[in-house]
Amino acid sequence: MAGEVVVKKEESLKLKITDKSHVKPEEKIGKKEYQLVTFDLPYLAFYYNQKLLFYKGEDFEGMVQKLKIGLGVVLKEFHQLAGKLGKDEEGVFRVEYDDDMLGVEVIEAVADEIAVDDLTVAESTSNLKELIPYTGILNLEGMHRPLLAVQLTKLKDGLAMGLAFNHAVLDGTSTWQFMTSWAEICSGSPSTTAPPFLDRTKARSTRVKLDLSPPEPNGPPTSNGDANPTPALREKIFKFSESAIDKIKSTVNENPPSDGSKPFSTFQALSSHVWRHVTHARNLKPEDYTVFTVFADCRKRVDPPMPETYFGNLIQAIFTVTAVGLLSAHPPQFAASMVQKAIEAHNAKVIDERNKEWERAPKIFEFKDAGVNCVAVGSSPRFKVYDIDFGWGKPEIVRSGTNNKFDGMIYLYPGKSGGGSIDVELTLEPEALERLEQDKGFLLEA
């Protein structure tokens, strides 16, 4: 089936935490300070970005030891992740590192009654919360806790690696660059192939003072998890095979527009397909508006362009909006063209104007800022997440945690089977998700 539906399987993990420690860079680095810039600051009130990778393997203790040693090595270059958030004397946020800081938090746990395969078929990552640290923790709390936490859980036949990265410090591109580098070191490489580019001010040097402080460590919960369970949302992974992706792409490119614009890319074809079908599943009125949002990598869009290895956030949200009736009445090319035009128009000039506007009146992002009845895409099928091999094989599955999930949020990952397959990890209100599951046009069923 082209859009294979993954069956939900809830089971108690019976998880026990067995150890907590911290890992620092293996060599002294001294005191370092890195100003957070306009691309970073809006994410201070988002939550830690959570990733979850499952590996098969029998030697849990050996795997943990190798991961910790490799982490100490890779943190020499990526030492910002072993630091914390702070402010300078003028109130400008920055990443601070010093050798006496705690470093990265590493949690070890056991849930060895459950196998990797039992967990990789789960419909939702919400029942996997126990495997990932820092659920419901704001990035701002990086002022008094590590900027990276790793939980390594022993399963019956493998290891679950749950990670929480402070999103004010880095975006998806930097996250997977770090993971790739860590895996290279663990696999025996003497050095990383692409050291991080650490000077954020080369992308934007404006100093913006923000009057923000983190919640008290033991204050009221600020969670987007259990403390605030409404509205109820469901998360589901829809797997689109290479042939399904080809079909979506060829359909949308059947009647090329007469204005001479380029053929629609895989991303434009798939994301507009999801936008149309999710909007239909929501049972909205024709006059309602719907927004498509993509968090786009701007490394090559800014002037001068930044290297792919730029470490930090270099993303901006790109929006396009239309009426529900127009989206449903027109063929797929209509939605794909809107997405394409919005992305192509987001050049260095637009990025600069958006930054200047934000710097004049700083606004910390909230989920509702993604737009009304939105479909918002984060992550990218271009991230080589299944190449993260620490020396015991590729991950069985790669997922996001429950943080930063809201109604309409989508994470795209390459499918494990490779080729052009793509996994669409989608969060929706339960009724809409149920209707989407029955939509044969979405799943491309015969």
Side-chain angles (χ1 to χ4, degrees), residues 158-281:
L159 171 147
M161 175 186 268
L163 304 117
F165 293 88
N166 191 298
H167 202 341
V169 174
L170 77 170
D171 60 13
T173 299
S174 292
T175 294
W176 293 112
Q177 189 208 343
F178 165 76
M179 293 295 289
T180 300
S181 301
W182 185 9
E184 283 175 346
I185 295 296
C186 288
S187 296
S189 175
S191 62
T192 58
T193 50
F197 179 87
L198 297 176
D199 187 358
R200 297 162 191 260
T201 58
K202 287 284 190 290
R204 192 82 184 169
S205 57
T206 315
R207 292 171 54 76
V208 182
K209 180 182 175 182
L210 291 177
D211 188 20
L212 285 172
S213 54
E216 289 301 314
N218 300 313
T222 55
S223 170
N224 64 336
D226 298 337
N228 180 19
T230 54
L233 295 172
R234 271 179 68 199
E235 299 167 36
K236 182 140 189 168
I237 297 123
F238 294 94
K239 293 176 175 288
F240 286 87
S241 66
E242 184 173 11
S243 62
I245 296 294
D246 286 346
K247 189 174 175 184
I248 291 167
K249 194 172 175 181
S250 60
T251 301
V252 82
N253 280 304
E254 265 168 10
N255 300 303
S258 54
D259 61 5
S261 52
K262 294 182 203 159
F264 299 114
S265 67
T266 298
F267 175 84
Q268 291 157 8
L270 178 61
S271 53
S272 57
H273 176 81
V274 175
W275 184 23
R276 292 178 81 239
H277 286 272
V278 165
T279 301
H280 178 69

Side-chain angles (χ1 to χ4, degrees), residues 276 323-332 334:
R276 292 178 81 239
V324 170
L326 288 173
L327 197 66
S328 55
H330 283 84
F334 175 79

Side-chain angles (χ1 to χ4, degrees), residues 307-335:
E308 193 64 22
T309 54
Y310 176 95
F311 186 82
N313 287 287
L314 204 44
I315 51 175
Q316 267 188 353
I318 300 174
F319 306 94
T320 187
V321 61
T322 190
V324 170
L326 288 173
L327 197 66
S328 55
H330 283 84
Q333 289 83 353
F334 175 79

Side-chain angles (χ1 to χ4, degrees), residues 121-421:
V121 297
E123 166 186 320
S124 157
T125 51
S126 60
N127 63 332
L128 304 179
K129 274 185 188 178
E130 293 176 73
L131 296 174
I132 318 178
Y134 292 11
T135 295
I137 300 297
L138 292 168
N139 294 315
L140 199 50
E141 295 183 50
M143 295 183 83
H144 54 60
R145 65 166 74 225
L147 301 180
L148 169 60
V150 181
Q151 181 174 322
L152 305 170
T153 303
K154 181 181 184 180
L155 305 173
K156 188 188 286 183
D157 58 350
L159 171 147
M161 175 186 268
L163 304 117
F165 293 88
N166 191 298
H167 202 341
V169 174
L170 77 170
D171 60 13
T173 299
S174 292
T175 294
W176 293 112
Q177 189 208 343
F178 165 76
M179 293 295 289
T180 300
S181 301
W182 185 9
E184 283 175 346
I185 295 296
C186 288
S187 296
S189 175
S191 62
T192 58
T193 50
F197 179 87
L198 297 176
D199 187 358
R200 297 162 191 260
T201 58
K202 287 284 190 290
R204 192 82 184 169
S205 57
T206 315
R207 292 171 54 76
V208 182
K209 180 182 175 182
L210 291 177
D211 188 20
L212 285 172
S213 54
E216 289 301 314
N218 300 313
T222 55
S223 170
N224 64 336
D226 298 337
N228 180 19
T230 54
L233 295 172
R234 271 179 68 199
E235 299 167 36
K236 182 140 189 168
I237 297 123
F238 294 94
K239 293 176 175 288
F240 286 87
S241 66
E242 184 173 11
S243 62
I245 296 294
D246 286 346
K247 189 174 175 184
I248 291 167
K249 194 172 175 181
S250 60
T251 301
V252 82
N253 280 304
E254 265 168 10
N255 300 303
S258 54
D259 61 5
S261 52
K262 294 182 203 159
F264 299 114
S265 67
T266 298
F267 175 84
Q268 291 157 8
L270 178 61
S271 53
S272 57
H273 176 81
V274 175
W275 184 23
R276 292 178 81 239
H277 286 272
V278 165
T279 301
H280 178 69
R282 282 172 163 160
N283 274 0
L284 300 168
K285 299 188 188 81
E287 63 272 22
D288 287 338
Y289 285 106
T290 174
V291 175
F292 176 83
T293 305
V294 56
F295 292 92
D297 181 11
C298 295
R299 284 166 176 75
K300 294 289 174 274
R301 295 173 190 272
V302 290
D303 184 21
M306 288 293 110
E308 193 64 22
T309 54
Y310 176 95
F311 186 82
N313 287 287
L314 204 44
I315 51 175
Q316 267 188 353
I318 300 174
F319 306 94
T320 187
V321 61
T322 190
V324 170
L326 288 173
L327 197 66
S328 55
H330 283 84
Q333 289 83 353
F334 175 79
S337 181
M338 290 192 72
V339 172
Q340 184 184 64
K341 284 182 167 66
I343 291 171
E344 289 187 350
H346 205 76
N347 57 23
K349 184 169 179 285
V350 173
I351 292 167
D352 185 53
E353 284 168 2
R354 174 89 67 85
N355 282 333
K356 283 176 178 165
E357 180 188 346
W358 191 90
E359 288 156 6
R360 282 193 296 271
K363 179 176 169 43
I364 300 304
F365 289 168
E366 298 176 52
F367 296 153
K368 64 178 170 47
D369 295 324
V372 64
N373 300 319
C374 84
V375 168
V377 179
S379 194
S380 166
R382 290 183 181 155
F383 294 152
K384 294 182 169 63
V385 301
Y386 285 101
D387 289 352
I388 309 296
D389 181 349
F390 292 94
W392 45 78
K394 296 186 176 190
E396 296 299 312
I397 202 160
V398 178
R399 291 289 165 250
S400 337
T402 55
N403 280 358
N404 302 320
K405 295 277 181 75
F406 54 88
D407 183 22
M409 186 66 206
I410 291 170
Y411 289 86
L412 298 179
Y413 291 105
K416 194 194 174 196
S417 58
S421 60

